Amino acid sequence: MKALVAVKRVVDYNVKVRVKADGSDVDIGNVKMSMNPFDEIAVEETVRLKEAGKISEIVAVSLGGKKCEDTLRTALAMGADRALHIETESPAEPLAVAKVLAAVAKQEQPQLVLLGKQAIDDDANQTAQMLAALLGAPQAAFVSKVDLSADGVTVVRDIDGGTETLALTLPAVISTDLRLNEPRFVKLPNLMQAKKKPLEKRSVEELGVDISPRVNIVGYAEPKPRQAGVKVGSVAELVEKLVAAKAI
Ligand code: AMP
């Protein structure tokens, strides 16, 4: 059984991004970039499924600029078998990414497609759902447990106030939540070995997908600084202040 796993190169989660002075974009020049944390979880899950003998091949795919190669090499070092780099320097919205991934899925015919629940740069939380719709495949988002068999996949997904267990037929699209697993640490020898694994380039044009933007971003702004809080001396004083502020 083949798994396709989508990995996005994003600003590292430890970096605090700043808005450019003209408000046209966020400034990501010279900041540390990493694999999207939810995608690391997705790769880890496919590797665990392979180690358990339930998957025979893991294909990692990334859409973006030249440097996405580093992200794909990390996926290969974690245990993916081969990588596909769909190279473009144009920014791609979730629908465009979903269309590209759908075209790749049609070529690769995976039984399981794993994505992160959201990319921590755009926080869109849309791509997996759109991809499932485009493929006409069953989907489960925010998944915290995966039980794969030849007939289908049973997943536990996080929902408000609890969990939900779903049984999906294959091929299926899954997006990973934080509690699914803890990704392994990539060691240097694995990174060296990963250099020998196949990394193939395909263009957006070859896939026949139009990724031109549909959304016009008008501007970016920093959130307003929060005012310092005050400490109250007693519950009575707290209630008094809340009443005065018409909060209760
Ligand atoms: P989003 O809908 O943008 O929050 O992204 C959700 C997930 O879609 C990510 O965690 C990735 O697994 C996948 N994804 C989004 N953009 C890309 C990309 N450019 N290349 C590969 N995968 C992507």
Side-chain angles (χ1 to χ4, degrees):
M1 193 183 291
K2 190 195 276 190
L4 183 69
V5 58
V7 294
K8 185 177 188 187
R9 181 173 183 265
V10 296
V11 173
D12 188 86
Y13 70 99
N14 282 311
V15 174
K16 192 176 177 319
V17 287
R18 298 197 171 280
V19 173
K20 284 185 179 170
D22 64 0
S24 63
D25 205 344
V26 284
D27 192 358
I28 58 164
N30 299 321
V31 302
K32 184 174 182 235
M33 304 291 282
S34 300
M35 186 189 297
N36 184 45
F38 295 106
D39 304 352
E40 277 190 329
I41 295 172
V43 176
E44 175 66 34
E45 195 62 20
T46 55
V47 176
R48 289 187 190 190
L49 289 168
K50 192 174 173 201
E51 285 167 349
K54 296 184 174 181
I55 279 178
S56 51
E57 189 185 23
I58 303 166
V59 182
V61 56
S62 192
L63 170 76
K66 176 115 191 56
K67 290 273 177 72
C68 284
E69 261 186 53
D70 300 346
T71 315
L72 287 166
R73 288 283 172 214
T74 306
L76 293 169
M78 287 176 76
D81 296 290
R82 58 189 180 89
L84 293 175
H85 182 193
I86 317 302
E87 201 168 346
T88 175
E89 295 300 331
S90 320
E93 292 165 2
L95 180 59
V97 179
K99 285 182 182 170
V100 166
L101 295 177
V104 170
K106 279 179 188 146
Q107 290 179 346
E108 294 286 336
Q109 297 289 317
Q111 292 295 93
L112 202 58
V113 186
L114 275 103
L115 300 88
K117 75 166 177 182
Q118 74 194 64
I120 61 164
D121 52 0
D122 62 16
D123 269 344
N125 177 7
Q126 295 172 354
T127 311
Q129 296 87 330
M130 288 172 167
L131 173 62
L134 290 170
L135 293 174
Q139 63 160 310
F142 319 129
V143 165
S144 55
K145 190 165 185 276
V146 173
D147 187 2
L148 181 66
S149 73
D151 314 320
V153 60
T154 304
V155 300
V156 177
R157 57 184 298 266
D158 287 4
I159 56 170
D160 277 352
T163 60
E164 181 180 54
T165 303
L166 299 177
L168 315 181
T169 54
L170 300 175
V173 178
I174 286 174
S175 81
T176 60
D177 213 326
L178 208 57
R179 290 195 302 135
L180 180 59
N181 61 48
E182 211 170 294
R184 68 197 59 198
F185 182 74
V186 176
K187 298 190 193 105
L188 194 59
N190 300 115
L191 268 174
M192 301 309 283
Q193 279 165 7
K195 289 194 174 150
K196 293 189 198 126
K197 291 187 177 177
L199 192 157
E200 194 190 317
K201 305 252 176 196
R202 284 186 203 163
S203 69
V204 172
E205 293 72 31
E206 252 174 88
L207 295 171
V209 179
D210 173 13
I211 64 161
S212 43
R214 291 160 171 248
V215 176
N216 179 22
I217 296 173
V218 179
Y220 289 86
E222 302 272 357
K224 286 203 177 72
R226 287 176 67 177
Q227 286 187 342
V230 283
K231 251 189 179 169
V232 289
S234 66
V235 173
E237 195 190 337
L238 172 67
V239 172
E240 198 181 301
K241 282 191 185 295
L242 290 173
V243 170
K246 296 197 167 70
I248 53 171

